[in-house]
Amino acid sequence: EIGSGLVGSEMCIETVIISIATIGAFLLGYFYQGAHNAGAAMTMAFTTLCMSRLFHGFSCKAEKPVIFSKRLWNNPFAILAFLAGMVLINAVLWIPGLHELFQIENGMSGVLLGAIYGFSFGSMVLIQIVKAIAAAVERNKKSCFCRKNPCTVYFAVQGFCVIDWVRRLLSETSDSVPELSLIHISEPTRPEPI
């Protein structure tokens, strides 16, 4: 559901992943071979952020991963917009006449250029992995049945029901951190209907 808290937390995680990729690209450009090159760092951060956002358009198509599905290719307008964006950002990156206009670093090494594409595409892959894990947890959470405190959060991953640490949002009487326990479930069980 669009209004649920899960969507907000997923968007936050996706933003953090793209931010980490952008900061990583900046740091690599700045410290590459000990050069302390601010121009290369800003160029890498700019292009990584732009390309990451273009790739992120595919990640926004569904709550579940789309990278290896037909849904990745089902919207020709989204693909055209992605291709147009990639052509434009690559024109800025590769055409020397545009370097001065956009204040892009000239003569960046192949390693730095490859890192831009790696950070950009890598952020999409990482977001897709996070979505796959979230979908698996959500799917398996429904098959997890544990008779515990109703405030406990249940996660089921590969046959284990992980009873997480949200007992009563840090109850007033307890100063200790709630314990984490694992319960093996051989077959998913569901409560009997009332």
Side-chain angles (χ1 to χ4, degrees), residues 158-190:
Q158 297 179 5
F160 285 93
C161 178
V162 179
I163 301 167
D164 207 8
W165 54 273
V166 188
R167 292 267 167 138
R168 291 221 191 235
L169 290 170
L170 298 171
S171 102
E172 296 170 20
T173 59
S174 174
D175 292 341
S176 64
V177 176
E179 62 185 73
L180 177 73
S181 58
L182 297 173
I183 300 172
H184 180 69
I185 299 177
S186 57
E187 266 185 50
T189 58
R190 295 183 187 209

Short mmCIF file of all heavy atoms in Angstrom, two decimals, residues 158-190:
data_model
loop_
_atom_site.label_atom_id
_atom_site.label_comp_id
_atom_site.label_asym_id
_atom_site.label_seq_id
_atom_site.Cartn_x
_atom_site.Cartn_y
_atom_site.Cartn_z
N GLN A 158 13.98 -18.72 5.68
CA GLN A 158 14.51 -20.06 5.50
C GLN A 158 14.20 -20.98 6.68
O GLN A 158 15.06 -21.64 7.24
CB GLN A 158 16.02 -20.00 5.25
CG GLN A 158 16.36 -19.28 3.98
CD GLN A 158 17.85 -19.20 3.75
OE1 GLN A 158 18.62 -19.77 4.49
NE2 GLN A 158 18.22 -18.51 2.71
N GLY A 159 12.95 -21.02 7.06
CA GLY A 159 12.53 -21.96 8.09
C GLY A 159 12.74 -21.50 9.51
O GLY A 159 12.44 -22.24 10.44
N PHE A 160 13.23 -20.30 9.75
CA PHE A 160 13.41 -19.83 11.12
C PHE A 160 12.46 -18.67 11.40
O PHE A 160 12.26 -17.80 10.58
CB PHE A 160 14.84 -19.34 11.36
CG PHE A 160 15.82 -20.45 11.50
CD1 PHE A 160 16.53 -20.89 10.39
CD2 PHE A 160 16.03 -21.06 12.70
CE1 PHE A 160 17.44 -21.92 10.49
CE2 PHE A 160 16.94 -22.08 12.82
CZ PHE A 160 17.64 -22.51 11.71
N CYS A 161 11.90 -18.70 12.57
CA CYS A 161 11.06 -17.60 13.01
C CYS A 161 11.91 -16.77 13.97
O CYS A 161 12.23 -17.22 15.05
CB CYS A 161 9.81 -18.12 13.69
SG CYS A 161 8.76 -16.83 14.33
N VAL A 162 12.30 -15.59 13.55
CA VAL A 162 13.14 -14.75 14.39
C VAL A 162 12.24 -13.80 15.17
O VAL A 162 11.53 -12.99 14.60
CB VAL A 162 14.13 -13.94 13.53
CG1 VAL A 162 14.99 -13.05 14.42
CG2 VAL A 162 14.98 -14.86 12.69
N ILE A 163 12.27 -13.95 16.46
CA ILE A 163 11.45 -13.09 17.30
C ILE A 163 12.30 -11.88 17.67
O ILE A 163 13.22 -11.99 18.45
CB ILE A 163 10.97 -13.85 18.55
CG1 ILE A 163 10.18 -15.05 18.11
CG2 ILE A 163 10.13 -12.95 19.44
CD1 ILE A 163 9.93 -16.04 19.18
N ASP A 164 12.00 -10.77 17.03
CA ASP A 164 12.86 -9.59 17.15
C ASP A 164 12.61 -8.87 18.47
O ASP A 164 11.74 -9.26 19.26
CB ASP A 164 12.63 -8.67 15.96
CG ASP A 164 13.82 -7.82 15.63
OD1 ASP A 164 14.89 -8.03 16.23
OD2 ASP A 164 13.68 -6.95 14.76
N TRP A 165 13.36 -7.81 18.70
CA TRP A 165 13.50 -7.22 20.01
C TRP A 165 12.56 -6.07 20.32
O TRP A 165 12.89 -5.18 21.08
CB TRP A 165 14.93 -6.73 20.19
CG TRP A 165 15.42 -5.82 19.12
CD1 TRP A 165 16.00 -6.17 17.96
CD2 TRP A 165 15.35 -4.41 19.11
NE1 TRP A 165 16.30 -5.06 17.23
CE2 TRP A 165 15.91 -3.96 17.91
CE3 TRP A 165 14.85 -3.45 20.01
CZ2 TRP A 165 16.00 -2.63 17.57
CZ3 TRP A 165 14.94 -2.12 19.67
CH2 TRP A 165 15.51 -1.72 18.47
N VAL A 166 11.35 -6.06 19.77
CA VAL A 166 10.44 -4.96 20.07
C VAL A 166 9.39 -5.43 21.07
O VAL A 166 8.24 -5.49 20.74
CB VAL A 166 9.78 -4.42 18.78
CG1 VAL A 166 8.99 -3.17 19.05
CG2 VAL A 166 10.81 -4.18 17.72
N ARG A 167 9.76 -5.75 22.30
CA ARG A 167 8.83 -6.37 23.25
C ARG A 167 7.72 -5.42 23.67
O ARG A 167 6.59 -5.69 23.58
CB ARG A 167 9.58 -6.88 24.46
CG ARG A 167 10.47 -8.03 24.13
CD ARG A 167 9.76 -9.31 24.36
NE ARG A 167 10.55 -10.33 23.72
CZ ARG A 167 10.79 -11.47 24.23
NH1 ARG A 167 10.27 -11.81 25.36
NH2 ARG A 167 11.52 -12.33 23.58
N ARG A 168 7.93 -4.37 24.19
CA ARG A 168 6.89 -3.39 24.51
C ARG A 168 7.44 -1.99 24.35
O ARG A 168 7.17 -1.13 25.18
CB ARG A 168 6.36 -3.59 25.91
CG ARG A 168 5.58 -4.83 26.09
CD ARG A 168 4.37 -4.54 26.95
NE ARG A 168 3.79 -5.81 27.31
CZ ARG A 168 2.55 -6.08 27.07
NH1 ARG A 168 1.76 -5.21 26.56
NH2 ARG A 168 2.08 -7.25 27.40
N LEU A 169 8.22 -1.83 23.27
CA LEU A 169 8.90 -0.57 22.99
C LEU A 169 9.62 -0.09 24.24
O LEU A 169 9.35 0.98 24.79
CB LEU A 169 7.92 0.47 22.48
CG LEU A 169 7.37 0.22 21.10
CD1 LEU A 169 6.23 1.15 20.78
CD2 LEU A 169 8.47 0.33 20.08
N LEU A 170 10.53 -0.97 24.68
CA LEU A 170 11.35 -0.74 25.86
C LEU A 170 10.48 -0.40 27.07
O LEU A 170 10.34 0.74 27.47
CB LEU A 170 12.39 0.35 25.60
CG LEU A 170 13.39 0.03 24.49
CD1 LEU A 170 14.22 1.25 24.17
CD2 LEU A 170 14.27 -1.12 24.90
N SER A 171 9.92 -1.46 27.62
CA SER A 171 8.98 -1.30 28.73
C SER A 171 9.60 -0.51 29.88
O SER A 171 10.81 -0.46 30.05
CB SER A 171 8.52 -2.68 29.20
OG SER A 171 9.18 -3.08 30.36
N GLU A 172 8.76 0.14 30.63
CA GLU A 172 9.22 1.04 31.68
C GLU A 172 9.96 0.30 32.79
O GLU A 172 10.83 0.86 33.44
CB GLU A 172 8.02 1.78 32.28
CG GLU A 172 7.34 2.67 31.27
CD GLU A 172 6.03 3.20 31.81
OE1 GLU A 172 5.83 3.20 33.03
OE2 GLU A 172 5.22 3.63 30.98
N THR A 173 9.63 -0.98 33.02
CA THR A 173 10.24 -1.70 34.13
C THR A 173 11.56 -2.35 33.77
O THR A 173 12.34 -2.68 34.64
CB THR A 173 9.30 -2.80 34.64
OG1 THR A 173 9.01 -3.68 33.54
CG2 THR A 173 8.01 -2.19 35.16
N SER A 174 11.85 -2.52 32.49
CA SER A 174 13.04 -3.23 32.07
C SER A 174 14.08 -2.26 31.51
O SER A 174 13.79 -1.48 30.63
CB SER A 174 12.69 -4.27 31.00
OG SER A 174 13.85 -4.85 30.50
N ASP A 175 15.29 -2.33 32.05
CA ASP A 175 16.38 -1.51 31.53
C ASP A 175 17.25 -2.29 30.56
O ASP A 175 18.13 -1.74 29.93
CB ASP A 175 17.27 -1.02 32.69
CG ASP A 175 16.52 -0.01 33.54
OD1 ASP A 175 15.52 0.55 33.06
OD2 ASP A 175 16.95 0.20 34.69
N SER A 176 17.03 -3.59 30.45
CA SER A 176 17.88 -4.41 29.59
C SER A 176 17.30 -4.48 28.18
O SER A 176 16.13 -4.24 27.96
CB SER A 176 18.02 -5.82 30.16
OG SER A 176 16.75 -6.45 30.15
N VAL A 177 18.16 -4.81 27.24
CA VAL A 177 17.74 -4.99 25.85
C VAL A 177 17.03 -6.33 25.74
O VAL A 177 17.54 -7.35 26.21
CB VAL A 177 18.95 -4.95 24.91
CG1 VAL A 177 18.53 -5.21 23.48
CG2 VAL A 177 19.66 -3.62 25.03
N PRO A 178 15.84 -6.38 25.15
CA PRO A 178 15.15 -7.66 25.00
C PRO A 178 16.00 -8.66 24.22
O PRO A 178 16.72 -8.28 23.31
CB PRO A 178 13.88 -7.30 24.21
CG PRO A 178 13.72 -5.84 24.43
CD PRO A 178 15.10 -5.28 24.61
N GLU A 179 15.91 -9.91 24.59
CA GLU A 179 16.74 -10.93 23.96
C GLU A 179 16.19 -11.36 22.61
O GLU A 179 15.01 -11.24 22.34
CB GLU A 179 16.88 -12.14 24.87
CG GLU A 179 15.54 -12.83 25.15
CD GLU A 179 15.68 -13.95 26.15
OE1 GLU A 179 15.86 -13.63 27.33
OE2 GLU A 179 15.60 -15.11 25.73
N LEU A 180 17.06 -11.84 21.77
CA LEU A 180 16.71 -12.35 20.45
C LEU A 180 16.67 -13.86 20.53
O LEU A 180 17.59 -14.48 21.04
CB LEU A 180 17.76 -11.91 19.43
CG LEU A 180 17.59 -12.39 18.02
CD1 LEU A 180 16.43 -11.65 17.37
CD2 LEU A 180 18.85 -12.14 17.23
N SER A 181 15.59 -14.47 20.06
CA SER A 181 15.52 -15.92 20.11
C SER A 181 15.14 -16.45 18.74
O SER A 181 14.44 -15.81 17.98
CB SER A 181 14.49 -16.36 21.15
OG SER A 181 13.23 -15.81 20.87
N LEU A 182 15.63 -17.65 18.44
CA LEU A 182 15.35 -18.31 17.17
C LEU A 182 14.56 -19.57 17.45
O LEU A 182 14.89 -20.34 18.35
CB LEU A 182 16.64 -18.69 16.46
CG LEU A 182 17.54 -17.54 16.05
CD1 LEU A 182 18.85 -18.09 15.52
CD2 LEU A 182 16.88 -16.70 14.99
N ILE A 183 13.53 -19.80 16.67
CA ILE A 183 12.74 -21.02 16.80
C ILE A 183 12.70 -21.66 15.43
O ILE A 183 12.31 -21.04 14.46
CB ILE A 183 11.29 -20.70 17.26
CG1 ILE A 183 11.32 -19.99 18.61
CG2 ILE A 183 10.46 -21.97 17.31
CD1 ILE A 183 9.97 -19.49 19.04
N HIS A 184 13.12 -22.93 15.37
CA HIS A 184 13.10 -23.63 14.10
C HIS A 184 11.69 -24.12 13.82
O HIS A 184 11.04 -24.71 14.66
CB HIS A 184 14.07 -24.82 14.12
CG HIS A 184 14.07 -25.57 12.83
ND1 HIS A 184 14.58 -25.02 11.67
CD2 HIS A 184 13.59 -26.78 12.49
CE1 HIS A 184 14.43 -25.87 10.69
NE2 HIS A 184 13.84 -26.95 11.17
N ILE A 185 11.23 -23.87 12.61
CA ILE A 185 9.90 -24.32 12.19
C ILE A 185 10.11 -25.23 10.99
O ILE A 185 10.55 -24.76 9.94
CB ILE A 185 8.99 -23.13 11.82
CG1 ILE A 185 8.80 -22.23 13.01
CG2 ILE A 185 7.67 -23.63 11.30
CD1 ILE A 185 7.99 -20.99 12.71
N SER A 186 9.78 -26.50 11.13
CA SER A 186 10.00 -27.42 10.02
C SER A 186 8.97 -27.22 8.92
O SER A 186 9.27 -27.29 7.76
CB SER A 186 9.99 -28.87 10.51
OG SER A 186 8.77 -29.13 11.17
N GLU A 187 7.73 -27.01 9.31
CA GLU A 187 6.67 -26.75 8.34
C GLU A 187 5.93 -25.50 8.77
O GLU A 187 5.64 -25.33 9.94
CB GLU A 187 5.66 -27.90 8.32
CG GLU A 187 5.95 -28.93 7.27
CD GLU A 187 4.84 -29.95 7.21
OE1 GLU A 187 3.66 -29.57 7.15
OE2 GLU A 187 5.16 -31.13 7.23
N PRO A 188 5.61 -24.62 7.83
CA PRO A 188 4.85 -23.45 8.23
C PRO A 188 3.50 -23.86 8.80
O PRO A 188 2.80 -24.70 8.25
CB PRO A 188 4.67 -22.68 6.93
CG PRO A 188 5.69 -23.22 5.99
CD PRO A 188 5.96 -24.62 6.44
N THR A 189 3.15 -23.30 9.93
CA THR A 189 1.85 -23.58 10.56
C THR A 189 1.08 -22.30 10.67
O THR A 189 1.66 -21.23 10.82
CB THR A 189 2.04 -24.20 11.95
OG1 THR A 189 2.79 -23.30 12.74
CG2 THR A 189 2.75 -25.54 11.88
N ARG A 190 -0.21 -22.42 10.62
CA ARG A 190 -1.08 -21.24 10.74
C ARG A 190 -2.12 -21.54 11.82
O ARG A 190 -2.51 -22.68 12.02
CB ARG A 190 -1.77 -20.95 9.42
CG ARG A 190 -0.77 -20.56 8.37
CD ARG A 190 -1.43 -20.22 7.11
NE ARG A 190 -0.36 -20.04 6.13
CZ ARG A 190 -0.46 -19.23 5.11
NH1 ARG A 190 -1.54 -18.57 4.91
NH2 ARG A 190 0.54 -19.12 4.27
#
